[in-house]
Amino acid sequence: MEKRYFPSIGKEISLLGFGLMRLPIVNNVPGNIDYEVAESMVDRALEGGINYFDTAYVYHAGQSEPFAGKALSRHPRDSYNLATKMPNWQIQNLDQAKETFDNQLGFLQTDYLDFYLVHNLNSEGYKVFLKSGLYDFLRKKKDEGSIRHLGFSMHDNPQHLSLLLDRYEWDFTQIQLNYIDWQSMKAGELYRLLVDKNIPVIVMEPVRGGGLANLPAEAAKVLKDHDPLASQASWALRFVASNPGVLTVLSGMTTPAQLEDNLATFNSFKPLTPAEGEILNKAADNFRLAYPIPCTGCGYCMDCPSGVNIPVNLAAYNHYSKVNLENPDNPIVAVFAFTSVYGALQDGEKSNNCVACEECLSHCPQKIPIPSTLKKITELGASLK
Ligand code: SF4
Ligand code: SF4
């Protein structure tokens, strides 16, 4: 397993980290983690050299931390680094912060956290953060030793990142980085800002919610032609891990097969060559063409007060667009593709229920103009009837 050492962190961290937010579940219920499979994946990850495990208070409807505590406490505490996050947006005062923090230590069956993050410290959440006084509380926890390294995660622009870096002292930062968002979401700028300040970067969404492991046909062909044996996920992971400012790359693994594929990538890690970078650029161009709406399906825009299922509506449009591109001579296939996703929505969840209140807008890390996009989807639905 490839490892990275940063003097400010003071120990070797595996370049592949295990994100515990997409664990295998039973009956499609997010809080119903399949303990048997998930525990065996944790054991295999440790055996394969992964020593960084990332969870959060809110993952798996609050069940990820109790799972992590149970699965990891079967192993020596110094064989892994535990990272978790305070749900900043839920914390109105320091009593709530203390209660949440104490609960987390209990769930995780530990008396210290190696890496602790303020979760999703974007511009909106920053107002709550200022009001609650959370930073001073967490600094105190660090001074007392129950937090070893303090950081934050965010989906926002470089200006907001600069503000957070200028006003506070941080040991690391977690950002969304992948070969699609490097330019379109200015993720490359975020990365460079952090490197300039010598702050280790932890990468989330390297495979963009799984989208970069399920590429449109043309993009998949570009990669396959160059290396028939390499998985699509391995290209995405190598792209981010090739940046030397990255401490670890979090992969939210759901199946033992994904874990094995990722372990293989990092057991004999090879940074991307300039020629491979060009190939990836071609795949990225095709990806953007096939999926014009940059939605990752993260769900931060939910719940919509009018009942619209925003991510699924956007997915219907992207699915239509991809199939349309792949079947230029047979437009009916794309119509079926659209109805297979859009038609599965309840009437109340469909795009036409959007009243353009704009409540969802500030929550979208991809800055998608959701109301106007939903209007376009409604028009498409009507035109395909
Ligand atoms: S703008 Fe539309 S989709 Fe967004 S919250 Fe309002 S009604 Fe829901
Ligand atoms: S619209 Fe934005 S917030 Fe909603 S699921 Fe897509 S990317 Fe996430």
Side-chain angles (χ1 to χ4, degrees):
M1 168 61 57
E2 186 81 7
K3 297 225 165 67
R4 289 258 162 99
Y5 179 87
F6 284 71
S8 62
I9 300 298
K11 56 177 158 177
E12 285 195 318
I13 302 292
S14 56
L15 191 48
L16 174 62
F18 198 153
L20 304 172
M21 81 295 276
R22 292 197 182 93
L23 291 164
I25 52 176
V26 180
N27 294 334
N28 219 17
V29 178
N32 206 354
I33 295 168
D34 185 336
Y35 266 64
E36 198 182 331
V37 178
E39 279 186 347
S40 71
M41 287 173 69
V42 165
D43 295 348
R44 173 69 185 116
L46 282 160
E47 182 194 75
I50 293 177
N51 68 4
Y52 192 100
F53 293 82
D54 171 82
T55 178
Y57 196 66
V58 294
Y59 288 170
H60 280 286
Q63 293 307 307
S64 176
E65 284 183 339
F67 164 77
K70 183 164 181 296
L72 286 165
S73 62
R74 297 176 299 127
H75 298 274
R77 182 64 183 87
D78 61 359
S79 65
Y80 57 88
N81 293 282
L82 200 42
T84 195
K85 313 181 188 76
M86 175 72 77
N88 172 55
W89 63 93
Q90 291 179 5
I91 305 298
Q92 302 297 327
N93 54 56
L94 294 186
D95 286 344
Q96 278 182 346
K98 183 177 179 324
E99 190 185 341
T100 304
F101 190 79
D102 289 346
N103 282 342
Q104 291 181 293
L105 291 180
F107 291 148
L108 291 163
Q109 305 187 31
T110 185
D111 53 6
Y112 71 92
L113 295 157
D114 305 275
F115 292 80
Y116 195 82
L117 301 91
V118 181
H119 199 167
N120 203 7
L121 193 48
N122 59 11
S123 319
E124 276 297 300
Y126 185 56
K127 294 175 200 152
V128 188
F129 179 75
L130 284 176
K131 222 167 104 197
S132 66
L134 189 56
Y135 184 77
D136 290 341
F137 170 82
L138 296 176
R139 285 296 304 186
K140 190 160 167 279
K141 289 290 170 195
K142 192 181 165 195
D143 293 342
E144 291 168 359
S146 45
I147 292 175
R148 300 281 161 89
H149 303 288
L150 179 60
F152 63 97
S153 66
M154 63 154 253
H155 300 267
D156 215 309
N157 57 41
Q159 292 72 23
H160 183 63
L161 177 60
S162 289
L163 177 148
L164 294 175
L165 299 182
D166 289 345
R167 290 198 182 166
Y168 305 92
E169 204 181 300
W170 304 101
D171 302 318
F172 68 100
T173 297
Q174 186 165 312
I175 57 169
Q176 175 168 326
L177 201 65
N178 55 62
Y179 69 84
I180 296 296
D181 294 324
W182 183 264
Q183 280 173 345
S184 51
M185 287 294 294
K186 298 192 175 162
E189 273 186 53
L190 300 178
Y191 169 78
R192 279 188 282 270
L193 272 172
L194 291 165
V195 169
D196 285 348
K197 299 222 176 232
N198 276 326
I199 296 182
V201 178
I202 295 188
V203 173
M204 58 181 159
E205 301 291 4
V207 191
R208 216 168 183 270
L212 301 183
N214 189 19
L215 294 171
E218 186 55 35
K221 185 175 176 308
V222 169
L223 301 187
K224 197 114 206 130
D225 283 351
H226 181 76
D227 185 347
L229 296 180
S231 68
Q232 295 175 12
S234 73
W235 280 90
L237 294 171
R238 286 179 59 219
F239 171 82
V240 285
S242 297
N243 294 287
V246 169
L247 175 64
T248 189
V249 179
L250 301 176
S251 176
M253 297 172 268
T254 307
T255 65
Q258 287 169 351
L259 172 61
E260 291 304 329
D261 185 44
N262 291 350
L263 284 173
T265 302
F266 285 93
N267 279 340
S268 54
F269 176 67
K270 291 185 198 70
L272 223 55
T273 64
E276 286 174 325
E278 283 307 309
I279 288 162
L280 218 41
N281 276 342
K282 272 191 211 154
D285 286 345
N286 181 265
F287 183 92
R288 289 192 198 93
L289 204 62
Y291 297 127
I293 306 173
C295 177
T296 60
C298 67
Y300 288 140
C301 52
M302 298 288 276
D303 287 335
C304 156
S306 297
V308 180
N309 188 328
I310 302 166
V312 174
N313 278 282
L314 305 193
Y317 187 91
N318 271 345
H319 190 43
Y320 166 81
S321 162
K322 170 183 170 268
V323 175
N324 201 21
L325 190 73
E326 289 172 357
N327 297 276
D329 303 326
N330 195 358
I332 196 73
V333 188
V335 176
F336 282 127
F338 180 77
T339 24
S340 70
V341 183
Y342 193 73
L345 286 163
Q346 306 282 329
D347 282 349
E349 297 176 320
K350 288 184 176 164
S351 52
N352 59 310
N353 294 289
C354 173
V355 295
C357 69
E358 300 195 346
E359 210 168 287
C360 52
L361 275 182
S362 62
H363 299 291
C364 178
Q366 306 294 124
K367 308 288 178 224
I368 296 168
I370 296 172
S372 59
T373 309
L374 289 171
K375 189 164 176 262
K376 202 159 77 177
I377 294 168
T378 303
E379 287 163 6
L380 176 69
S383 73
L384 296 180
K385 273 185 184 159

